[in-house]
Amino acid sequence: MDYLAQGLIDAIRLLMSLDEETFSAILTTLRISSLSILMSLSIGIPCGFGLGYFDFPGKKPIRSVVDTLLAMPTVVVGLFVYAFISRRGPLGEFGLLFTIPGIAIAQTILVLPIVISLTATAIESLDRRVRFTLISLGAKRSQIALASLLEARYAVLIAVITAYGRAISEVGVSMMIGGNIKWNTRTITTAIALETGKGQFSMGIALGIVLLLLAFLVNGSLAFLRKRS
Amino acid sequence: MDYLAQGLIDAIRLLMSLDEETFSAILTTLRISSLSILMSLSIGIPCGFGLGYFDFPGKKPIRSVVDTLLAMPTVVVGLFVYAFISRRGPLGEFGLLFTIPGIAIAQTILVLPIVISLTATAIESLDRRVRFTLISLGAKRSQIALASLLEARYAVLIAVITAYGRAISEVGVSMMIGGNIKWNTRTITTAIALETGKGQFSMGIALGIVLLLLAFLVNGSLAFLRKRS
Amino acid sequence: DKVLMMATTTSTDNTGLLDVLAPVFKADTGIELRWVAVGTGKALELGKNCDVDVLLVHAPDAEEEYVAAGYGTERTQVMYNDFIIIGLQEDRAGVKGKTVSETLRLIAEKRAPFASRGDNSGTHKMELILWKNAGLAVPDREPWYIQTGQGMINTISVASERDAYTLTDRGTYIKYEDTMKGNPPLVILVEGDRVLRNQYSVIAVNPEKCPTVNNDLAKTYTTWMASEKAQKLIAEFKLMGKQLFYPNAGEN
Amino acid sequence: MRGSDSPLYRLEDLAFFYGERFELHIPKLDIPEGCTIGFIGPNGGGKSTLLKILSFLEHPHQGTILFSGVKVTPDANPFRRQVTILPQEPYLLKRTVFENVAYGLKVRGEKQGIRKKVHEALEQVGLMPGSFTSRSWHELSGGEAQRVALASRLILRPRVLILDEPTTSVDQSSALLIKESINACRRKLNTTLIISSHDHLWLNSVTHDIRKVYQGRIVGFATENLIFGPWKKSTDSLYEKILPDGQVIHAVSPQDAGATAILDPSDIVISTAHPDHLSAQNTLSGIVTQLSIEPFSDTMIMELNCGGQTLLCRITSNAARELNILPGERVWAVFKASSLRWY
Amino acid sequence: MRGSDSPLYRLEDLAFFYGERFELHIPKLDIPEGCTIGFIGPNGGGKSTLLKILSFLEHPHQGTILFSGVKVTPDANPFRRQVTILPQEPYLLKRTVFENVAYGLKVRGEKQGIRKKVHEALEQVGLMPGSFTSRSWHELSGGEAQRVALASRLILRPRVLILDEPTTSVDQSSALLIKESINACRRKLNTTLIISSHDHLWLNSVTHDIRKVYQGRIVGFATENLIFGPWKKSTDSLYEKILPDGQVIHAVSPQDAGATAILDPSDIVISTAHPDHLSAQNTLSGIVTQLSIEPFSDTMIMELNCGGQTLLCRITSNAARELNILPGERVWAVFKASSLRWY
Ligand SMILES: Nc1ncnc2c1ncn2[C@@H]1O[C@H](COP(=O)(O)OP(=O)(O)OP(=O)(O)O)[C@@H](O)[C@H]1O
Ligand SMILES: Nc1ncnc2c1ncn2[C@@H]1O[C@H](COP(=O)(O)OP(=O)(O)OP(=O)(O)O)[C@@H](O)[C@H]1O
Ligand SMILES: [Mg+2]
Ligand SMILES: [Mg+2]
């Protein structure tokens, strides 16, 4: 119990003292999660729209596969990506292992199913009249996609928030691909894992609080978007 | 790359040889995830309904907090629960640490935000006429909740699937609270972490495939429900 | 900028030793040392895949195998610490001061809880050797034998929650003592046996198998670690006023 | 509780706002039990808002509602199940037609005879149960959906049945059927009916107590003509509105240029030739577009199109017979400037 | 491409199914450019389905559609932007009224003068731009929403404007306005108008080419009476249907007991006294409920209520004048059993 209280105190101290190590981890976390969320949205939202909007043969099996991939453990994604980007892997020459882009790619793969599945559901849950209305007003395919996503904006936003939450809080991928290298690829979550591994539970809690604060700020700015739209 | 191919072969071997260790982990995984998903649904769906359906002061801040908790790292949840149920914690006397119910409780806390947030969004995305229709047909509060959830069944189902995916694939909580004790609290994901730590990457992949197969079966039965409804 | 990529075991990282050595190494040689702290098995695997330039590990048998298979060169021992057996003060199996083999026999006989890392780490491999030395089969499904499959600190936590004995390296134990504010529930019961020595070595990844590795930097690092300066730093590294590692480069 | 002397609904000094934009204000309205009351009026007048309040779906921001003598509070309302509304845009639950119609019974815990009741309700709205019960909610045409929604209200045999434009997108013979069903409700169960509609003829055939709702107020009765502004000053005391074809309506002192005038159809005199030497300031020429009987009376409503402005005029059947006017003929409508009351 | 000899639409042997339950079947239909065509008929007849096909939202399962001579394919359709439909239950995008009305222009890449066009379109449907443009989609009454949806179609100035029951829940003066707006479209832009409605009078005032859609078929013209079964054999060659008040309609050899008969209003003779010694087998007594002018002709439509069965009868204006019949009076409708054609 003590370490929860102590963790809170440590969290304040970490932030107040502008602790350099913590800030390096915060920055790395933000960089990776922004990169991965941008990539996963730009791939996942179009895919999710297509999966939710169109009827095509094989739609149901694809949907099942995507839903199943929601259960993909981070470590497995990590191993999978590692197999490709390790020096001996087919993409070894790009030197992505132990780098921020490397982690971001793996995180993208991790959260893509969330983005796709939740976006598809958001589009499927739309009033069936949306489609006909947009077509009859003359919208072309990409305009239909954009307008449908706007109609489903709350549900799409929550897809984004869920995906972001998953990306920022995962540790398996960052550990496996990033290597938790201090000043370099150490994220808040890998730092938490490290501290916990050392038995520094209060420090782990403190970093956890820092992470949640970060997520709160990010969500706050998204909620601001939500209000404006 | 070899790991992937080798992993696939290992996965088949594991399942064909009815490997006892693997089956113990599968069983533990199923037990824990069923328990935690049942608990999180029975708490989360009513809360999510309330958050999506009613207007009350403080609704927005609560929503923000729930959305933020989507970014809660598993290790932090683990630490948090550990603080309560460890011997020295306030709930130490129940001896929940290193037990399946203990892990299930922690997992419940982990996936609750997903269930609440996605259910609330599902309810909010409903046609605004649903509420008036149900009231005017004479539905009482709990009947309104049930019927609204049924109206939003696709979106609620995907909330369940996402939560299930998160529960079955997480490792931090199972490790921290379960202790990864062989023949006892070792789940597929903690086994993956172990094998990966040992450098047995192909075994990690193999277990990952086993996990995904499990998830596929569970989703399949849910999809069957979806069809029938 | 010269960057040397190293895979090491968690103990060197968790204790903070590398945080002391790396800046000095950089000042001396201009090389930046970056390391990933993982289990020994995984560290060796990273070496096999050419993802790191050098290894700092403590599993002599696996290391020899690794070098013999041609994955590594210039295995150089740099330091050691030792393993200890810890348990509750009450010591229900009455092992305090006994030899290691006797200790294990007593534990098995009394069916006293024993936490094993069960993760193929250096510590785990040592434990397996100890069971063998004691003439006992390695327990598996005994209810008193808890296989955690986790890191050392977590295994100690499990042991303390379950009132179990466990085998640990001294460095981690001192760290644990530190976090418990000097008043840990588990105390040292058995120590000092020659077999309990925990040897750390540096191995360079073989440039013939991995053309992309920085073998020069690895060599520089190996030499530096064996240098008097580094050896002195290791000897002076203390936690709670206690020495964690004993330099032994060049010794056999 | 259920005082026989107090009306079923008593609204007092009631107000409901949508921001600054719209205010429904009803100083007083009594609705006796067992009566049928109709509301008509232009779009955005406030009919739906009023009906939502009467069905306890919305609570007024000011004033009180007494329901059979008991004050209605915003929350837990013991009368909720006695009142049911068919909204203007009914929503069908994403289930089969059968389940939609049966839902209200199910939530009331009824278990027996549901099947039979559902079939009856569907028949009441002209849908053959055999072909409809097992359909899914989306396998219906617009009018069929409207009627399923109505059936799911009729089946409840409520004390008060509130219908917001029940005949939109319903065909004429079904509209007749619906009229009969709701009349049967009233006769057999003494159901109080509150109905809004734009279909004047249909509403007229269901009730003769039709109120007009305009700009959030109940402004008299259905057949009244509304003449909208703008008005501009012509002579000292007179204001005028120019119709699209150039004819002019004169009025006395509107409050402002945009004011709306109310003209009672009984205040209009019809002439088959252009009248001369008349004291009334307004003489409009128009084409008769429709003649219809007014129920429960010996009068007739004549609809004129006076250069784009529709005027309803009330004449006795005898007068109609004597004048021998038929749709398509030109007549003159004569009324005093002072007959225009200001809303 | 745009052959002046080929009609705008040519439907040939077209069929559309909803499972086994419903089949729309149109052997042949031509719609010339610039015309106005109306569809009327009972609920579930297939009007909306037909209009969806004509607006390329659904593709028929069989048969061909030629649009200005070019065969229409299910996918990428070059004509899609030339045709727009106001669906039966219009959907407003979750945006402001302004953005809803402007959407069609925006997707067409228009940037200039949008504001002005939106204001014009809103005025066309009788909504004051000042008070409506900035409202959110849900801050509207039912009729206002309907009219915003219409405005967002009118603004497109389409080659073909398809309206599925455009006046539902719209008040009477707005219905007049809408009529004028769509007439202006036709006059100024030569827009082809395809309209379904249950409001016979309103539709009649917009077009005189009204077809009846019944059970998935286009079965002639609007004013035709439909007399539904059941029929039962009475004498050797005659079948009869008994009306609710006991009167009987006789017919010759229906295909089956449930068959529906079509009766042309011109085939009915009206008498003010009970006619004797007539050869026609059918003599029904009824009350005149309505008289209305038929546009573009010298005839009138008289609506009778014969014990629950509505009958439309066509008489010349002269005949109406001579007989001096007014709504509310009792008359007799006389027609031959053989006038009943079978659908
Ligand atoms: N949710 C809302 N927010 C703001 N204004 C609203 C809202 N709903 C309705 N209004 C406005 O309130 C007024 C009354 O609306 P109401 O729906 O009661 O009219 P109505 O008489 O039923 O009209 P209609 O004949 O078109 O159905 C209208 O001017 C409308 O624009
Ligand atoms: N999605 C659907 N699935 C199955 N049947 C349908 C579906 N949509 C409509 N139908 C059926 O097809 C028939 C024609 O429907 P349609 O909507 O075209 O009728 P309509 O003439 O527009 O009727 P209304 O006047 O009620 O709007 C109806 O019998 C209806 O029940
Ligand atoms: Mg309304
Ligand atoms: Mg229709």
Side-chain angles (χ1 to χ4, degrees):
Chain A
M1 275 309 274
D2 306 346
Y3 61 79
L4 295 186
Q6 185 59 41
L8 198 63
I9 296 167
D10 284 359
I12 295 165
R13 223 202 42 235
L14 275 182
L15 291 172
M16 298 308 268
S17 68
L18 302 166
D19 177 72
E20 252 190 287
E21 255 186 80
T22 313
F23 274 87
S24 157
I26 291 178
L27 215 70
T28 310
T29 302
L30 278 179
R31 270 203 202 140
I32 295 172
S33 56
S34 319
L35 213 60
S36 63
I37 205 73
L38 281 181
M39 289 197 288
S40 58
L41 293 187
S42 52
I43 303 168
I45 287 194
C47 291
F49 172 79
L51 199 55
Y53 184 84
F54 296 108
D55 275 325
F56 50 89
K59 173 180 169 138
K60 281 206 173 161
I62 293 182
R63 190 67 203 265
S64 292
V65 168
V66 173
D67 286 355
T68 299
L69 291 180
L70 290 172
M72 182 91 104
T74 54
V75 194
V76 175
V77 176
L79 282 173
F80 184 80
V81 173
Y82 176 82
F84 280 86
I85 67 174
S86 137
R87 267 290 149 71
R88 297 185 144 205
L91 307 175
E93 64 207 284
F94 300 111
L96 286 167
L97 194 64
F98 306 135
T99 65
I100 287 179
I103 309 175
I105 288 170
Q107 275 193 359
T108 302
I109 294 173
L110 178 73
V111 301
L112 253 181
I114 298 181
V115 178
I116 294 177
S117 183
L118 293 184
T119 305
T121 305
I123 294 294
E124 273 171 357
S125 302
L126 274 181
D127 196 309
R128 8 181 79 231
R129 293 171 297 169
V130 173
R131 176 195 212 122
F132 283 166
T133 302
L134 292 173
I135 295 178
S136 87
L137 289 176
K140 299 271 181 213
R141 197 164 279 204
S142 64
Q143 293 164 333
I144 291 174
L146 191 68
S148 304
L149 290 167
L150 270 175
E151 288 300 294
R153 54 187 169 261
Y154 291 110
V156 172
L157 196 67
I158 210 72
V160 176
I161 290 176
T162 309
Y164 190 79
R166 183 85 173 108
I168 205 178
S169 70
E170 74 77 35
V171 61
V173 157
S174 305
M175 205 51 129
M176 185 79 201
I177 304 297
N180 188 23
I181 300 170
K182 198 167 164 184
W183 304 119
N184 197 329
T185 57
R186 178 164 299 168
T187 64
I188 304 183
T189 54
T190 57
I192 293 174
L194 177 66
E195 295 299 335
T196 314
K198 285 198 224 168
Q200 307 281 12
F201 291 174
S202 63
M203 192 62 184
I205 291 278
L207 286 167
I209 292 171
V210 170
L211 186 71
L212 287 180
L213 278 179
L214 210 65
F216 190 76
L217 290 179
V218 172
N219 283 348
S221 51
L222 285 178
F224 174 72
L225 272 182
R226 174 177 355 195
K227 209 169 202 169
R228 279 209 36 207
S229 69
Chain B
M1 275 309 276
D2 305 346
Y3 308 125
L4 300 184
Q6 185 59 41
L8 198 65
I9 296 166
D10 284 359
I12 294 165
R13 224 203 40 237
L14 276 182
L15 290 172
M16 298 308 268
S17 68
L18 301 167
D19 177 71
E20 251 191 288
E21 259 187 76
T22 312
F23 274 87
S24 157
I26 290 177
L27 215 71
T28 311
T29 302
L30 277 180
R31 271 204 202 140
I32 295 172
S33 57
S34 320
L35 213 60
S36 63
I37 205 73
L38 281 182
M39 289 198 286
S40 57
L41 292 186
S42 53
I43 304 168
I45 286 193
C47 290
F49 172 79
L51 199 56
Y53 184 85
F54 296 109
D55 274 324
F56 50 88
K59 173 180 169 137
K60 281 206 173 163
I62 291 181
R63 188 68 202 267
S64 291
V65 168
V66 174
D67 286 354
T68 299
L69 292 179
L70 290 173
M72 183 90 105
T74 53
V75 192
V76 175
V77 176
L79 281 174
F80 184 81
V81 173
Y82 183 87
F84 280 87
I85 68 174
S86 98
R87 276 266 193 87
R88 300 161 142 221
L91 307 174
E93 64 206 283
F94 300 110
L96 287 167
L97 196 62
F98 308 135
T99 64
I100 286 178
I103 309 176
I105 289 170
Q107 275 193 359
T108 302
I109 294 173
L110 179 72
V111 302
L112 255 181
I114 296 180
V115 178
I116 294 178
S117 184
L118 293 185
T119 306
T121 305
I123 295 294
E124 274 172 357
S125 302
L126 275 180
D127 196 308
R128 9 181 78 233
R129 293 171 299 169
V130 173
R131 176 195 211 123
F132 283 165
T133 301
L134 293 173
I135 296 178
S136 87
L137 289 176
K140 299 271 182 214
R141 197 164 282 203
S142 64
Q143 293 164 331
I144 291 175
L146 192 67
S148 304
L149 290 166
L150 270 176
E151 288 300 293
R153 53 186 171 265
Y154 290 109
V156 172
L157 195 69
I158 210 71
V160 176
I161 290 176
T162 308
Y164 190 80
R166 183 87 174 106
I168 206 177
S169 70
E170 75 78 35
V171 60
V173 157
S174 305
M175 204 51 126
M176 187 84 201
I177 305 297
N180 187 24
I181 297 169
K182 197 170 167 184
W183 305 118
N184 195 336
T185 57
R186 180 163 299 168
T187 64
I188 305 182
T189 54
T190 58
I192 293 173
L194 175 62
E195 295 300 334
T196 311
K198 285 194 211 166
Q200 306 283 6
F201 293 172
S202 60
M203 192 62 182
I205 292 276
L207 287 166
I209 292 171
V210 171
L211 186 71
L212 286 181
L213 279 179
L214 210 66
F216 190 76
L217 290 179
V218 172
N219 283 350
S221 51
L222 285 178
F224 175 72
L225 271 182
R226 178 182 344 199
K227 208 168 203 170
R228 282 210 31 209
S229 69
Chain C
D1 227 45
K2 294 184 279 184
V3 175
L4 176 67
M5 209 51 227
M6 177 169 81
T8 181
T9 56
T10 38
S11 50
T12 50
D13 184 34
N14 284 0
T15 51
L17 174 67
L18 290 174
D19 292 323
V20 173
L21 297 181
V24 184
F25 178 60
K26 169 122 199 210
D28 288 356
T29 63
I31 300 169
E32 185 186 338
L33 178 68
R34 287 190 192 161
W35 66 90
V36 293
V38 294
T40 303
K42 190 167 166 186
L44 296 174
E45 197 68 21
L46 288 173
K48 278 187 195 166
N49 290 331
C50 316
D51 292 320
V52 291
D53 306 315
V54 72
L55 307 170
L56 172 59
V57 288
H58 62 119
D61 292 349
E63 288 162 30
E64 270 159 26
E65 213 174 283
Y66 179 81
V67 173
Y71 289 113
T73 58
E74 298 178 56
R75 174 166 172 249
T76 311
Q77 63 181 37
V78 289
M79 61 188 190
Y80 70 89
N81 63 1
D82 63 343
F83 291 108
I84 52 182
I85 292 174
I86 57 175
L88 284 182
Q89 193 86 55
E90 295 99 283
D91 186 17
R92 266 179 273 154
V95 302
K96 189 162 173 99
K98 299 271 171 18
T99 68
V100 178
S101 295
E102 271 174 70
T103 301
L104 290 186
R105 260 181 251 125
L106 278 169
I107 286 171
E109 202 172 290
K110 301 245 164 85
R111 309 176 67 77
F114 183 91
S116 161
R117 284 189 54 177
D119 62 351
N120 265 0
S121 59
T123 313
H124 184 221
K125 285 183 175 149
M126 171 61 73
E127 185 205 321
L128 296 182
I129 293 169
L130 297 180
W131 286 111
K132 212 161 100 199
N133 288 353
L136 295 167
V138 180
D140 183 19
R141 300 188 92 157
E142 318 290 346
W144 55 270
Y145 188 71
I146 306 157
Q147 305 181 62
T148 66
Q150 295 195 71
M152 199 64 247
I153 278 281
N154 292 330
T155 304
I156 295 177
S157 294
V158 173
S160 78
E161 286 286 340
R162 286 283 174 96
D163 293 346
Y165 295 91
T166 191
L167 177 76
T168 172
D169 64 287
R170 190 181 293 272
T172 307
Y173 179 72
I174 291 171
K175 185 87 197 167
Y176 169 70
E177 242 186 329
D178 185 17
T179 40
M180 287 290 153
K181 308 205 172 70
N183 187 23
L186 301 180
V187 296
I188 300 176
L189 298 173
V190 178
E191 62 185 325
D193 204 320
R194 170 79 193 177
V195 294
L196 290 177
R197 189 182 268 218
N198 182 23
Q199 181 64 50
Y200 288 82
S201 307
V202 178
I203 306 171
V205 173
N206 188 352
E208 278 165 28
K209 289 239 171 183
C210 298
T212 54
V213 298
N214 283 318
N215 191 247
D216 293 346
L217 303 189
K219 276 182 182 155
T220 312
Y221 178 72
T222 313
T223 321
W224 185 84
M225 278 297 276
S227 75
E228 232 170 87
K229 186 175 187 186
Q231 294 278 303
K232 189 154 167 275
L233 281 172
I234 292 169
E236 283 167 358
F237 179 69
K238 290 198 166 86
L239 213 65
M240 295 185 74
K242 291 178 187 159
Q243 182 172 350
L244 274 89
F245 297 101
Y246 300 87
N248 70 340
E251 186 183 299
N252 246 324
Chain D
M1 291 284 272
R2 205 162 152 175
S4 62
D5 49 342
S6 66
L8 184 61
Y9 282 97
R10 166 159 285 173
L11 276 53
E12 269 167 5
D13 200 24
L14 181 142
F16 183 94
F17 311 93
Y18 289 119
E20 303 257 289
R21 198 175 282 138
F22 177 82
E23 182 196 338
L24 178 74
H25 184 74
I26 298 175
K28 187 157 170 48
L29 178 69
D30 279 1
I31 301 178
E33 177 124 36
C35 80
T36 301
I37 183 168
F39 291 103
I40 203 164
N43 291 141
K47 301 179 294 300
S48 298
T49 309
L50 174 60
L51 297 194
K52 271 185 210 154
I53 291 172
L54 292 176
S55 53
F56 312 133
L57 292 179
E58 298 275 15
H59 197 75
H61 298 112
Q62 261 175 39
T64 54
I65 308 180
L66 300 179
F67 186 80
S68 58
V70 180
K71 192 168 163 183
V72 172
T73 53
D75 34 76
N77 183 328
F79 305 115
R80 194 154 264 168
R81 283 198 172 167
Q82 301 183 9
V83 181
T84 188
I85 183 174
L86 176 75
Q88 186 165 4
E89 288 159 35
Y91 176 90
L92 293 184
L93 300 175
K94 295 194 168 61
R95 311 176 176 196
T96 63
V97 167
F98 181 91
E99 283 168 336
N100 263 287
V101 180
Y103 183 78
L105 294 182
K106 291 222 173 116
V107 296
R108 281 166 177 77
E110 283 197 35
K111 296 223 165 48
Q112 299 217 312
I114 289 193
R115 196 163 186 80
K116 189 159 153 279
K117 285 186 184 171
V118 169
H119 284 209
E120 276 171 18
L122 285 173
E123 274 161 7
Q124 278 189 305
V125 297
L127 297 175
M128 283 185 308
S131 133
F132 282 92
T133 46
S134 62
R135 288 206 202 179
S136 181
W137 59 282
H138 64 270
E139 297 174 331
L140 297 171
S141 80
E144 287 162 354
Q146 175 84 14
R147 281 145 70 189
V148 168
L150 179 59
S152 65
R153 271 69 182 184
L154 289 175
I155 203 173
L156 302 177
R157 300 165 159 259
R159 187 166 168 202
V160 184
L161 180 60
I162 301 182
L163 306 172
D164 199 354
E165 308 199 13
T167 55
T168 40
S169 68
V170 161
D171 61 37
Q172 286 185 339
S173 62
S174 305
L176 269 178
L177 246 171
I178 291 175
K179 180 180 91 182
E180 273 158 31
S181 314
I182 61 184
N183 277 337
C185 266
R186 182 173 47 173
R187 272 197 315 273
K188 289 194 218 145
L189 310 165
N190 195 33
T191 305
T192 306
L193 289 165
I194 305 176
I195 306 172
S196 87
S197 178
H198 289 295
D199 188 340
H200 197 283
L201 285 177
W202 183 85
L203 194 55
N204 223 336
S205 70
V206 179
T207 177
H208 54 290
D209 183 6
I210 304 180
R211 318 287 175 91
K212 205 153 201 160
V213 181
Y214 177 64
Q215 290 194 350
R217 261 140 252 248
I218 298 179
V219 289
F221 293 88
T223 41
E224 285 173 330
N225 295 293
L226 292 182
I227 302 167
F228 301 97
W231 300 94
K232 55 178 199 182
K233 209 171 167 75
S234 61
T235 66
D236 294 351
S237 57
L238 284 182
Y239 285 73
E240 62 180 29
K241 175 195 160 115
I242 302 175
L243 300 179
D245 70 343
Q247 298 194 75
V248 175
I249 299 179
H250 298 279
V252 185
S253 56
Q255 290 107 320
D256 61 79
T260 300
I262 301 174
L263 176 59
D264 189 324
S266 306
D267 287 348
I268 302 176
V269 175
I270 293 295
S271 160
T272 47
H274 190 286
D276 295 314
H277 321 298
L278 275 183
S279 68
Q281 285 94 341
N282 287 305
T283 307
L284 297 180
S285 134
I287 304 287
V288 179
T289 47
Q290 206 174 306
L291 263 176
S292 32
I293 41 176
E294 260 193 313
F296 322 106
S297 73
D298 190 31
T299 52
M300 220 175 262
I301 291 290
M302 178 186 285
E303 191 182 279
L304 297 189
N305 179 352
C306 302
Q309 165 83 45
T310 301
L311 273 191
L312 298 177
C313 319
R314 179 174 289 117
I315 52 177
T316 62
S317 302
N318 276 340
R321 211 174 317 278
E322 276 166 26
L323 290 172
N324 189 12
I325 307 169
L326 287 174
E329 286 177 18
R330 179 167 295 279
V331 296
W332 281 261
V334 181
F335 53 96
K336 296 186 193 173
S338 60
S339 293
L340 298 177
R341 285 172 297 121
W342 297 103
Y343 156 66
Chain E
M1 290 286 274
R2 204 161 155 177
S4 60
D5 49 342
S6 66
L8 183 61
Y9 282 96
R10 166 159 286 171
L11 275 54
E12 269 166 5
D13 200 26
L14 181 142
F16 184 95
F17 311 93
Y18 290 119
E20 303 257 289
R21 198 174 283 136
F22 177 81
E23 182 197 338
L24 178 73
H25 184 74
I26 299 176
K28 188 157 168 48
L29 178 69
D30 279 2
I31 302 179
E33 176 123 38
C35 81
T36 302
I37 183 168
F39 291 103
I40 204 163
N43 290 140
K47 301 179 294 300
S48 298
T49 309
L50 175 59
L51 298 194
K52 271 186 210 151
I53 291 172
L54 293 176
S55 53
F56 312 133
L57 292 179
E58 299 274 16
H59 197 76
H61 298 112
Q62 259 177 36
T64 55
I65 308 179
L66 300 179
F67 186 80
S68 59
V70 180
K71 191 169 166 184
V72 173
T73 53
D75 35 76
N77 183 328
F79 306 114
R80 194 154 263 169
R81 285 200 171 165
Q82 300 183 9
V83 181
T84 188
I85 182 175
L86 177 74
Q88 186 163 5
E89 288 160 34
Y91 175 90
L92 293 185
L93 300 174
K94 295 193 168 59
R95 309 176 178 195
T96 62
V97 167
F98 181 89
E99 283 168 336
N100 263 287
V101 179
Y103 183 78
L105 294 182
K106 291 220 174 118
V107 296
R108 281 166 175 77
E110 283 197 36
K111 295 223 164 51
Q112 299 217 312
I114 290 193
R115 195 162 188 80
K116 191 160 151 277
K117 286 186 183 169
V118 169
H119 283 210
E120 276 171 18
L122 285 173
E123 274 160 8
Q124 277 189 307
V125 297
L127 298 175
M128 286 186 304
S131 131
F132 281 93
T133 44
S134 61
R135 289 206 201 177
S136 182
W137 59 281
H138 63 270
E139 297 174 331
L140 297 170
S141 81
E144 287 163 354
Q146 175 84 14
R147 283 144 69 188
V148 168
L150 178 58
S152 65
R153 271 68 182 184
L154 289 176
I155 203 173
L156 302 177
R157 298 165 160 261
R159 188 167 167 199
V160 184
L161 179 61
I162 301 182
L163 306 172
D164 199 352
E165 309 200 12
T167 55
T168 40
S169 68
V170 160
D171 61 36
Q172 286 184 339
S173 62
S174 305
L176 270 179
L177 246 171
I178 290 175
K179 181 180 89 180
E180 274 158 31
S181 313
I182 60 183
N183 277 338
C185 265
R186 182 172 47 172
R187 272 198 314 274
K188 289 194 216 147
L189 310 165
N190 196 33
T191 304
T192 307
L193 289 165
I194 305 175
I195 307 172
S196 85
S197 177
H198 290 294
D199 187 342
H200 197 284
L201 285 177
W202 183 85
L203 195 55
N204 223 336
S205 70
V206 179
T207 177
H208 55 288
D209 183 7
I210 304 180
R211 317 287 176 90
K212 205 154 201 160
V213 180
Y214 177 64
Q215 291 193 351
R217 262 141 252 247
I218 299 179
V219 287
F221 294 88
T223 39
E224 285 173 331
N225 295 293
L226 292 183
I227 301 168
F228 301 96
W231 299 95
K232 56 178 201 187
K233 209 170 168 77
S234 61
T235 68
D236 293 351
S237 59
L238 282 183
Y239 287 74
E240 60 180 29
K241 174 193 161 118
I242 301 174
L243 298 181
D245 70 346
Q247 295 193 77
V248 175
I249 297 179
H250 298 281
V252 186
S253 58
Q255 291 105 320
D256 60 80
T260 301
I262 301 174
L263 176 59
D264 189 323
S266 306
D267 287 347
I268 303 175
V269 174
I270 293 296
S271 160
T272 47
H274 191 287
D276 296 315
H277 320 299
L278 274 183
S279 68
Q281 285 96 339
N282 286 304
T283 306
L284 297 180
S285 136
I287 304 288
V288 179
T289 47
Q290 206 173 304
L291 263 178
S292 31
I293 42 177
E294 259 194 312
F296 321 104
S297 73
D298 192 32
T299 51
M300 222 174 262
I301 292 291
M302 179 186 283
E303 191 182 278
L304 298 188
N305 179 352
C306 302
Q309 166 83 44
T310 301
L311 273 192
L312 297 177
C313 319
R314 180 175 288 118
I315 52 177
T316 61
S317 301
N318 276 340
R321 212 176 315 278
E322 276 164 27
L323 291 171
N324 191 11
I325 308 168
L326 285 175
E329 287 177 18
R330 178 167 296 279
V331 296
W332 283 261
V334 181
F335 54 94
K336 297 186 192 169
S338 59
S339 293
L340 296 177
R341 285 172 296 122
W342 296 104
Y343 158 63

